[in-house]
Amino acid sequence: HIVLQIARSDIIKATLELFQMKPMSFGADTEEKKTPIPFPKVLKTDVWRANLSLPEEHSYIVFDVTKDTVPLPPVISTQTPPDSLLIQERDRRLGSLFSTVHKTFNLWYGIPSQPADWSECISWQECFTALFHTALMSAERAGVIDKSMVEQLQRAMFHAVAYFLFDDVEVPSLVHNPGLDWGSDIFVSKSDTQRSDRVDSGGEGGVSSDSAAIDIVAMYDWTNALWGDPLMECALRTPSKAFLEG
C-alpha cells in the first residue's frame, strides 16, 4: 500500500526526524531502541534536494504501509453496532497506541517543524498562550470571529493563567493531532476488515471473540504534531470507555 504525502518542506523534515527518533527516558535505562510508534517505511522523498531555497516550498514523501492494509475508518461497518466486541477492541488498541505516542517526550514545547522558534520554550503555558494568540489573530483577520469574541476569549485565557491551569503539564509529550479530525492516517491490517463482517446473529450485535482484533500497522500523517499537553489530542475529545482502558 503506497501513500504519497505533500506538505511544506519543514514539516516533511520534522516528520522524518520523528520517524528516526529514539524514545526519551528520564532517569531510566537509555539504551538505544526505536520508538514503538508504528511509523511507516519511507520509500522516497525529495526534501533533502539541494535547491530548497524558499522556507514555504513544498516537498513530498512516499510511504510504504505494507501490503493488505486499509485506512482505519472503513474497518468498522455502518451495520456494526457501537457496543460490538470489534469496536471495543478497536478502541482499546487505539487507546494503547495513543498512550504510546503520549509517552514520547521532548526537551521543549512547540511545533516539531519549527525548532528554531521553539527550542528554548520550556513552559507549556508560554507555548500554549503563543499558539492561542496566533490562532486568535488569524481567525480575526479571516473574519471567522469579531473583535468582541477576541476580547472574550482573551479574558478566558487570562483567567486560565491566573488559576495556574497549565502548571500540571511538566514534560512535553508528543501530540499526534490537536486538530478537528483524526484517524484517516492510521492503517490497519486488511484482514481486520473481513473480521468486521462476522457479526453475531444472536441478536446481541457483537462479534465472536476470536474475530475481535484490530492490527494497527502504521500512522503516517504528523503535519499537525505538537510537543505539548496530551489532553490536546483530538482523539481524546470524546473517548470511549474501551479507549481509556487501552
Side-chain angles (χ1 to χ4, degrees), residues 98-213:
F98 279 96
S99 176
T100 299
V101 170
H102 298 155
K103 289 175 183 175
T104 304
F105 305 120
N106 194 32
L107 294 175
W108 47 268
Y109 296 94
I111 301 172
S113 61
Q114 301 172 15
D117 297 330
W118 295 99
S119 60
E120 296 185 5
C121 182
I122 58 174
S123 163
W124 173 234
Q125 176 177 299
E126 178 185 342
C127 173
F128 186 89
T129 51
L131 294 171
F132 176 81
H133 177 75
T134 299
L136 209 59
M137 296 303 99
S138 297
E140 184 181 18
R141 285 194 300 269
V144 177
I145 56 177
D146 58 22
K147 189 172 182 60
S148 63
M149 178 59 71
V150 170
E151 293 173 351
Q152 182 179 341
L153 291 171
Q154 286 175 332
R155 284 194 297 271
M157 173 59 75
F158 293 149
H159 288 143
V161 171
Y163 283 99
F164 308 103
L165 187 64
F166 304 98
D167 287 5
D168 289 340
V169 183
E170 298 178 346
V171 180
S173 296
L174 182 58
V175 180
H176 173 243
N177 187 358
L180 299 176
D181 193 17
W182 67 280
S184 60
D185 71 311
I186 300 177
F187 279 73
V188 299
S189 172
K190 193 173 183 180
S191 61
D192 298 320
T193 64
Q194 298 166 350
R195 294 190 185 107
S196 68
D197 294 330
R198 287 192 259 167
V199 180
D200 277 344
S201 57
E204 298 297 325
V207 295
S208 60
S209 59
D210 64 340
S211 67

Side-chain angles (χ1 to χ4, degrees), residues 48-59:
W48 306 117
R49 66 187 189 275
N51 61 348
L52 285 178
S53 57
L54 300 176
E56 294 296 322
E57 185 173 354
H58 284 60
S59 298

